[in-house]
Amino acid sequence: MGKNTGKVEHRIFNPAMECISRDELYALQSERLRQVVRHEYDNVRLYRERMDAKGVKPEDIRTVEDLKYLPFTEKSDLRDEFPYGLLAVPQEEIVRIHGSSGTTGKPIVSGYTRGDVDVWSEMMARTLTAAGCSREDIVQVAYGFGLFTGGFGAYQGANRIGAMVLPMSSGNTQRQIMMMQEMGSTILCCTPSYAVYLGETIREMGLDPAKDLKLKAGCFGAEPWSEAMRKRIEELLCIDACDIYGLTEICGPGVSYECLVKEGMHINEDHVIAEIINPATGEPLPYGQEGELVFTTITKRGMPMLRYRTHDLCSLTDKKCECGRTLARMGRITGRTDDMLIIRGVNVFPSQIESVLVGIHGVAPHYMLYADRVNSADTLEIQVEMTEEMFSDTVSEIEAVQRKIFESVKSVVGIATKVKLVAPKSIPRFEGKAKHVVDRRKL
Ligand code: AMP
Ligand code: ZN
C-alpha cells in the first residue's frame, strides 16, 4: 500500500457490507430505493407533488437504473421547507437536529431519528476504522460540536468502535496540544487547515511529534484540500492523513471516506446512492467522468433526500481497491458549480453578504470578496464601494459603516471578516455574470 507511516494497521469495520459483491449491492440498493421512494411519496408533500408533476409513481421506481426518473432536490428546497417541511416522520420521532448555513441568513437543517443517528454512527465507525482506528485508540475530536455535524459525527463513530474520545471541539490550540500530549491522543479529527495550523504550532513549540506525541492517523474533511496539503500534514504531524467527505443534508461526515490506499473515498453505498450528472443538463454521466455529485439516501427515515444536488464536482470509480473494499470511490472534490466558499468551516454564499450590504446606508451594491489563507487560517475580506456622498465623509463616519458591516455579516453569516470601503467605481464591472469572489487560498 506504500506511502504510509506504517504506524496504522489495515482494518475494515464491517467487511460484510464494505466488501459486498457489486451485484448484491445493486440488489440491496434497489430494494432500499423502492422503500425510500414510497416513504417520501406517502409522507412528504414536496416529493409527492414533484413526482406527480413528472408523472412518476413510486411503483415505477424498481431498480437503481430508474433513479433518473426521480426529481432532484436542491438546497433551496431545504430553505423553503425550513424547518420541518421535509420531515418524513412525525416530529416526535426526531431525536436530533443538525444544520449548516444556506444561501440566505437562515440555516438549512436536517432531522434525525434514533435509527438515522445509528446509521450515521456506523458510517463514521467505518470511516475511522479505515484510517486505522480501533478500540485501543484515543480519538481527539477537534471538529466543532454544535449544529455543525463534524464534532458529533466523529464522536459517534469513535463511540461505536469503542475507542476513547476527547471531545475537544474546535479552537483553543494550546489546550488541544497539551491534551494531545498528556492524554496520548492517537487519532486526530479536524479540518485539514486546522491540522496544518496544529502541526505548525506544535513545531513552533519545539515539540517533535515523532517523539513527543502518540498521534498516528487523522481523518480530515469538511472543506476542500489537496495532495500537497496531505503531504504537509503528514510531515508536520508524522501521521497518515485520510480524506473524509460529507454534508449535513445527507447525514454529515462519513458519506465517504478514504482507506490507507489514499486513492479516493469509499462511498457508504449501502446507505447512499451516488450519481454524477452533467450540471448543465442534469443528465447522468458514466463512471470516470467528472460532473456534479448527487446523492439519494436509502436508509434514512427522518429526512431522506432523493437525488440531492451537492454542487460539488468530482468523478466516481467502481474499480476494486487494493484495501479489499468493493464500495465505489469518489475522487477529491475539484470545485463547485456554485459560488459557495468554505471559510474556517462555515459555508459562505456571496448572496448572503450581498443581502447585508444592500441594507446598509452609504455603500453601493458593488463588492468583491477576497479569500486568503494566513497562518493556515482562512480569512475573508469584503471590499465594497462607498457612495459618492459617503466618499466625502470623515474617517470616523467611514469607520462606523465598516463596523456596521462587520457586525451585520457576523450575525447573519456567522464569521468575522475584514471590511474595506473603497472609492466609488473602483470595483471592476462585468458585462456578463458579475464575479464577486477571488479565492487566493493555495490548497
Ligand atoms: P456542511 O454541510 O456544512 O458540512 O458542508 C458540506 C460541504 O463541505 C460539502 O458539500 C463540500 O462542499 C464540503 N466538503 C465536505 N467534506 C469535504 C472534503 N473532504 N473535500 C472537499 N470538500 C468537502
Ligand atoms: Zn480502499
Side-chain angles (χ1 to χ4, degrees), residues 100 148-149 220-225 243-249 265 310 312 333 336 340 342 347:
S100 73
F148 173 56
T149 51
F220 306 113
E223 66 188 12
W225 54 311
D243 197 359
I244 115 173
Y245 170 89
L247 60 163
T248 314
E249 297 85 329
M265 294 175 273
T310 64
D312 290 321
I333 303 293
R336 289 190 53 89
M340 184 180 94
I342 303 182
N347 300 349

Side-chain angles (χ1 to χ4, degrees), residues 367-388:
Y367 68 98
M368 205 64 155
L369 307 177
Y370 293 92
D372 284 290
R373 190 158 279 163
V374 181
N375 295 332
S376 312
D378 300 328
T379 60
L380 189 68
E381 178 171 301
I382 303 173
Q383 291 193 6
V384 56
E385 281 181 14
M386 290 176 258
T387 55
E388 295 285 354

Side-chain angles (χ1 to χ4, degrees), residues 155-166:
Y155 160 75
Q156 288 159 197
N159 208 251
R160 173 65 67 86
I161 293 170
M164 188 173 112
V165 188
L166 296 176

Side-chain angles (χ1 to χ4, degrees), residues 5 7-8 11 128 131-141 158 163-166 179-189 209 213-220 237-241:
T5 56
K7 289 183 183 174
V8 277
R11 291 191 171 91
L128 290 165
C133 180
S134 74
R135 59 189 302 278
E136 283 107 64
D137 280 296
I138 301 176
V139 181
Q140 180 152 348
V141 181
M164 188 173 112
V165 188
L166 296 176
M179 288 294 272
M180 192 179 278
Q181 209 178 352
E182 298 288 334
M183 306 301 291
S185 308
T186 54
I187 308 271
L188 174 65
C189 299
L213 300 177
K214 298 215 166 62
L215 277 188
K216 53 186 196 183
C219 294
F220 306 113
L237 290 169
C238 302
I239 58 169
D240 285 297

Side-chain angles (χ1 to χ4, degrees), residues 29-284:
Q29 285 184 321
S30 298
E31 163 71 31
R32 290 181 169 175
L33 177 64
R34 286 193 289 274
Q35 287 170 9
V36 75
V37 170
R38 167 55 69 189
H39 180 56
E40 292 277 46
Y41 189 85
D42 290 347
N43 296 294
V44 180
R45 180 193 44 79
L46 180 101
Y47 282 118
R48 193 163 50 246
E49 284 175 5
R50 293 248 169 106
M51 286 173 62
D52 285 347
K54 283 183 112 212
V56 183
K57 292 275 164 248
E59 50 277 19
D60 297 333
I61 308 300
R62 293 198 192 92
T63 68
V64 176
E65 278 295 291
D66 301 326
L67 258 183
K68 55 180 180 286
Y69 303 120
L70 290 170
F72 288 115
T73 311
E74 287 278 3
K75 206 185 265 286
S76 56
D77 295 322
L78 278 86
R79 185 188 67 213
D80 297 344
E81 299 295 323
F82 176 85
Y84 295 131
L86 290 175
L87 288 190
V89 296
Q91 185 262 310
E92 61 267 27
E93 283 188 42
I94 299 295
V95 299
R96 180 105 59 83
I97 291 289
H98 279 289
S100 73
S101 39
T103 46
T104 65
K106 266 198 265 172
I108 55 109
V109 293
S110 186
Y112 302 67
T113 63
R114 205 171 289 284
D116 295 340
V117 173
D118 283 347
V119 164
W120 179 24
S121 305
E122 154 97 20
M123 290 159 91
M124 277 304 291
R126 293 180 192 179
T127 302
L128 290 165
T129 304
C133 180
S134 74
R135 59 189 302 278
E136 283 107 64
D137 280 296
I138 301 176
V139 181
Q140 180 152 348
V141 181
Y143 283 119
F145 281 76
L147 269 187
F148 173 56
T149 51
F152 281 96
Y155 160 75
Q156 288 159 197
N159 208 251
R160 173 65 67 86
I161 293 170
M164 188 173 112
V165 188
L166 296 176
M168 299 295 294
S169 204
S170 51
N172 209 335
T173 306
Q174 297 296 326
R175 197 165 58 128
Q176 298 272 4
I177 296 170
M178 184 272 287
M179 288 294 272
M180 192 179 278
Q181 209 178 352
E182 298 288 334
M183 306 301 291
S185 308
T186 54
I187 308 271
L188 174 65
C189 299
C190 62
T191 58
S193 51
Y194 193 56
V196 172
Y197 184 64
L198 271 172
E200 285 171 347
T201 312
I202 286 167
R203 298 284 179 171
E204 277 161 22
M205 288 165 70
L207 297 172
D208 176 359
K211 294 206 204 84
D212 302 321
L213 300 177
K214 298 215 166 62
L215 277 188
K216 53 186 196 183
C219 294
F220 306 113
E223 66 188 12
W225 54 311
S226 61
E227 280 309 309
M229 214 157 141
R230 177 187 337 250
K231 196 158 169 270
R232 178 135 180 82
I233 295 171
E234 293 192 330
E235 283 171 3
L236 278 171
L237 290 169
C238 302
I239 58 169
D240 285 297
C242 294
D243 197 359
I244 115 173
Y245 170 89
L247 60 163
T248 314
E249 297 85 329
I250 300 307
C251 67
V255 170
S256 66
Y257 56 95
E258 255 181 353
C259 60
L260 292 164
V261 176
K262 302 177 194 164
E263 282 176 6
M265 294 175 273
H266 290 285
I267 300 166
N268 274 307
E269 287 178 292
D270 49 329
H271 297 296
V272 297
I273 305 178
E275 294 172 89
I276 294 287
I277 60 163
N278 174 330
T281 64
E283 285 303 309

